[in-house]
Amino acid sequence: MKAMLSGTSSTALIQKRYLRKDEQAVWAELNITLIHDLANKPQYFVSIIQIISEKKNTAIMLDKRVRELDCLNDIGHKIDEQPPLAEFLEWVTERIPAAMLYPEECIAAIEFQGELYGNAAARDLTSKVVGGIRVAGELLGWLHIAYTQPRSFI
């Protein structure tokens, strides 16, 4: 807006996130144009608001899938290096959070054959997902991915 009023720009495109009463997010794109008179003095703004929630949510989900695939790709490359098992499992617990939606709040732990790798707090937090680690159909351990703040995995 300041750039439009100072004359360095005549338009602005802004994406904003709004919360409805039910706390569901609604994304909107505001296209704002400053209209001038014949003497080039600002007169008024014309705004077009377009709801872009579906577009924004699709972009967020695509970004999430890309991070997950990057993580799986990195794990595959690490396996090719054939590190010792304990080093590999510790590395996996450090790599997983970057693939999650809120990586700065995510921690991971792996319980495998009685040993714990990663951040033990991941086992005790309430906002988490837990999956079994199976080899040839036999359950050998657990993967815990947790958020340090209340979050949903849905």
Side-chain angles (χ1 to χ4, degrees):
M1 300 290 265
K2 288 180 183 179
M4 287 189 285
L5 291 172
S6 70
T8 59
S9 176
S10 62
T11 63
L13 187 62
I14 303 167
Q15 289 187 0
K16 295 185 81 173
R17 182 176 172 260
Y18 297 94
L19 289 179
R20 298 183 346 184
K21 286 182 183 180
D22 64 2
E23 296 189 14
Q24 183 176 352
V26 176
W27 284 91
E29 186 172 79
L30 289 74
N31 190 338
I32 306 164
T33 302
L34 178 58
I35 304 299
H36 297 83
D37 64 12
L38 294 175
N40 205 26
K41 288 175 44 181
Q43 292 298 298
Y44 54 90
F45 292 99
V46 173
S47 298
I48 299 172
I49 301 173
Q50 182 178 6
I51 302 301
I52 60 165
S53 295
E54 186 174 332
K55 177 181 169 184
K56 192 71 170 179
N57 290 338
T58 299
I60 289 168
M61 292 308 295
L62 179 60
D63 180 62
K64 183 178 184 291
R65 294 294 177 249
V66 167
R67 286 194 318 269
E68 290 169 351
L69 289 172
D70 283 346
C71 181
L72 291 173
N73 189 42
D74 288 350
I75 289 171
H77 287 300
K78 192 69 166 179
I79 289 170
D80 289 344
E81 295 172 14
Q82 299 181 343
L85 182 61
E87 177 185 316
F88 173 71
L89 294 176
E90 190 69 36
W91 179 88
V92 168
T93 64
E94 294 167 3
R95 177 59 183 90
I96 286 173
M100 302 305 292
L101 198 52
Y102 304 98
E104 65 283 350
E105 298 174 6
C106 183
I107 58 175
I110 294 176
E111 293 179 82
F112 189 73
Q113 295 183 328
E115 296 292 324
L116 180 68
Y117 305 91
N119 191 326
R123 295 183 304 176
D124 304 320
L125 293 169
T126 56
S127 294
K128 67 180 175 181
V129 63
V130 179
I133 299 172
R134 298 180 182 277
V135 176
E138 182 183 352
L139 181 65
L140 299 178
W142 299 95
L143 169 63
H144 303 263
I145 302 172
Y147 285 129
T148 57
Q149 301 297 316
R151 295 287 181 185
S152 172
F153 282 87
I154 298 173

